[in-house]
Amino acid sequence: MLDTVEGVREALAGEGYIADERLATTVFLQTRLDKPLLIEGPAGVGKTELAKALAAATGRRLLRLQCYEGQDETKALYEWDYGKQLLYTQILREKIGQLVADAADLDEAVDRIGKQESVFFSDRFLASRPLLEAVRSEEPVVLLIDEIDRADEALEAVLLELLGEYQVSVPEIGTFKAKYAPYVVLTSNNTRDLAAALKRRCLHMFLDYPSSERELEIVRSKDTGLTEALAAQLVDVVRGLRDLDLRKAPSISETIDWARTLAVLGVDELSAKVLSDTVSVVVKYDKDVRKALDALPRLVDPNAKVPAVLHNNHDHGHDHAHDLGHDHGAHAHSHDTPQDQEPEPDGKAVRQAKDKPGRFTNGYYGTPSSTASLGRRRPF
Ligand SMILES: Nc1ncnc2c1ncn2[C@@H]1O[C@H](COP(=O)(O)OP(=O)(O)OP(=O)(O)O)[C@@H](O)[C@H]1O
Ligand SMILES: [Mg+2]
């Protein structure tokens, strides 16, 4: 099934995941080269979903490690089941007592107990966490290490042995090696640089917002109830919003939510009014909402020269910076501020420029130009 790039694309599509050629090729290579796959990219572009779809498409069990700050290896690899160890020593108190009953002194008693240590640090008392579980599994699995950039760098070091050799060493017992190489998918929102040692062990892919065709295909696959023509128009509007330099750009899941919202409202024409009334489905910060409201008329119809009327519309029902009671004169005046006089970027040209292949090679993590500014990066 995963024998060809096309096969991978179809298998993922069968699980409702729409992959483009580049992503399908990367996943194909991952399965062929038995290498972990590190996916970086903004929120909501389908990083986590890919691992889920891969597990569903291959019938493999999905093991998931959700990373967070302060997480240590006892939550990622394994820990000793202290409670169980204690319980056993209590139950076996008499037996342990017999062992040391005729010891000449304390030293000898401790020696004798020490010789039995391996009983308590054995498989029986080992509590596997997702990474060890993936290695010990009797069946092939997909291991999702989600949002690795949230974890501390120490955890990355812990991962290296697993990612490089699909094995985990437990000093008291030995080394566990995976029977079947797991498909490992790591995701990152790029809130900080990841260690080069980790990157080196993985196939790397930057997953960005999709092309309009693919986004439309995704929306279509979700049965949102919105007509094809409106969905296509909506996808263009969302892409326009992404060009606005918002604090949080709308993701694919927000496009889907917006399409569902509009379908529920029975909308049969995308007007700036109806989009403004529902814009909080896709932009979640007050400042972003204001920027979006200002841009929507232009995004719905780039040739429309009716900002005053439409602008007035979106004042209703929205938390908006302008006074609700302003008249058109005052409103026109507000458009005279220096900020509003900035030449409007040609959204379409900006988007087209963004669609050029290889645009992430400049200034993106790992390239010479960006290594000069190490340290914590701004999250997406
Ligand atoms: N290629 C795709 N095909 C189908 N649905 C998709 C695709 N990409 C994204 N989606 C939809 O977008 C939603 C969000 O995707 P997902 O949770 O994987 O994002 P993410 O990249 O992991 O985001 P975050 O960084 O916030 O965790 C999914 O639930 C899914 O409905
Ligand atoms: Mg995710």
Side-chain angles (χ1 to χ4, degrees):
M1 194 168 60
L2 304 183
D3 283 351
T4 58
V5 172
E6 191 49 32
V8 169
R9 226 182 50 75
E10 278 170 17
L12 293 176
E15 300 303 326
Y17 191 89
I18 315 295
D20 61 9
E21 185 85 9
R22 200 166 69 97
L23 182 55
T25 306
T26 312
V27 173
F28 170 72
L29 289 176
Q30 169 189 24
T31 60
R32 279 309 170 93
L33 302 176
D34 274 343
K35 275 197 137 206
L37 169 61
L38 167 62
I39 309 183
E40 295 194 86
V45 291
K47 301 185 295 297
T48 304
E49 197 71 16
L50 172 68
K52 292 188 193 165
L54 183 61
T58 53
R60 290 182 171 215
R61 185 158 66 106
L62 179 71
L63 292 170
R64 179 171 182 167
L65 178 70
Q66 180 66 50
C67 299
Y68 55 87
E69 212 175 318
Q71 189 174 34
D72 63 14
E73 71 237 47
T74 61
K75 295 288 171 281
L77 277 177
Y78 66 87
E79 63 186 322
W80 293 106
D81 191 338
Y82 178 65
K84 197 165 163 189
Q85 284 170 329
L86 209 61
L87 186 69
Y88 272 61
T89 50
Q90 300 247 311
I91 296 170
L92 299 171
R93 203 168 23 195
E94 266 182 38
K95 189 83 193 150
I96 294 168
Q98 285 169 16
L99 252 175
V100 295
D102 59 346
D105 53 22
L106 201 57
D107 270 353
E108 197 185 337
V110 170
D111 264 359
R112 284 191 194 176
I113 301 258
K115 284 196 183 118
Q116 310 300 320
E117 239 171 36
S118 59
V119 174
F120 288 97
F121 290 94
S122 63
D123 223 352
R124 186 186 297 278
F125 298 102
L126 191 65
S128 298
R129 300 296 173 226
L131 303 185
L132 182 59
E133 179 82 26
V135 163
R136 298 189 68 186
S137 173
E138 286 299 317
E139 313 98 41
V141 296
V142 171
L143 172 62
L144 166 63
I145 303 173
D146 213 12
E147 309 192 357
I148 177 71
D149 53 331
R150 284 175 188 259
D152 305 317
E153 279 163 34
L155 195 75
E156 281 180 49
V158 167
L159 284 174
L160 296 181
E161 183 185 9
L162 172 85
L163 297 179
E165 287 141 271
Y166 295 131
Q167 66 177 41
V168 170
S169 296
V170 181
E172 295 86 346
I173 300 181
T175 300
F176 293 99
K177 193 154 179 60
K179 213 171 185 177
Y180 306 96
Y183 294 156
V184 183
V185 178
L186 299 105
T187 78
S188 161
N189 274 22
N190 210 19
T191 52
R192 68 172 175 81
D193 287 339
L194 299 175
L198 183 134
K199 291 197 133 189
R200 200 174 58 237
R201 284 165 174 77
C202 301
L203 290 173
H204 180 260
M205 162 133 192
F206 188 94
L207 196 59
D208 198 15
Y209 299 113
S211 65
S212 53
E213 293 80 37
R214 191 161 74 94
E215 188 156 10
L216 182 57
E217 208 181 324
I218 294 171
V219 173
R220 200 184 292 138
S221 75
K222 300 291 175 191
D223 291 330
T224 58
L226 202 64
T227 64
E228 177 80 12
L230 291 191
Q233 216 184 332
L234 185 69
V235 163
D236 274 345
V237 170
V238 174
R239 286 167 67 79
L241 291 179
R242 285 182 193 140
D243 291 334
L244 290 183
D245 192 25
L246 303 176
R247 177 165 164 199
K248 165 73 180 72
S251 67
I252 301 177
S253 38
E254 269 123 14
T255 313
I256 297 167
D257 286 346
W258 212 3
R260 289 211 171 107
T261 304
L262 296 171
V264 166
L265 292 175
V267 168
D268 49 20
E269 187 193 346
L270 285 201
S271 63
K273 161 101 174 80
V274 73
L275 293 179
S276 299
D277 285 347
T278 52
V279 76
S280 48
V281 174
V282 284
V283 277
K284 314 276 168 77
Y285 291 95
D286 188 37
K287 250 189 180 163
D288 288 357
V289 170
R290 269 180 265 148
K291 281 187 190 171
L293 289 175
D294 280 338
L296 275 174
R298 173 174 57 81
L299 293 174
V300 174
D301 180 3
N303 302 318
K305 261 265 157 252
V306 283
V309 175
L310 288 170
H311 203 88
N312 209 21
N313 280 339
H314 70 63
D315 276 344
H316 302 289
H318 281 283
D319 219 8
H320 196 250
H322 300 297
D323 284 337
L324 281 174
H326 65 56
D327 60 25
H328 281 196
H331 201 165
H333 179 72
S334 78
H335 275 261
D336 287 333
T337 59
Q339 193 191 350
D340 288 328
Q341 279 173 356
E342 273 176 25
E344 291 222 330
D346 177 354
K348 203 163 180 194
V350 173
R351 282 199 292 285
Q352 267 170 1
K354 278 200 172 187
D355 275 344
K356 277 188 197 136
R359 66 192 153 110
F360 293 110
T361 50
N362 280 337
Y364 178 62
Y365 171 80
T367 58
S369 59
S370 68
T371 45
S373 59
L374 287 177
R376 292 188 87 81
R377 309 190 116 237
R378 227 185 96 219
F380 287 101

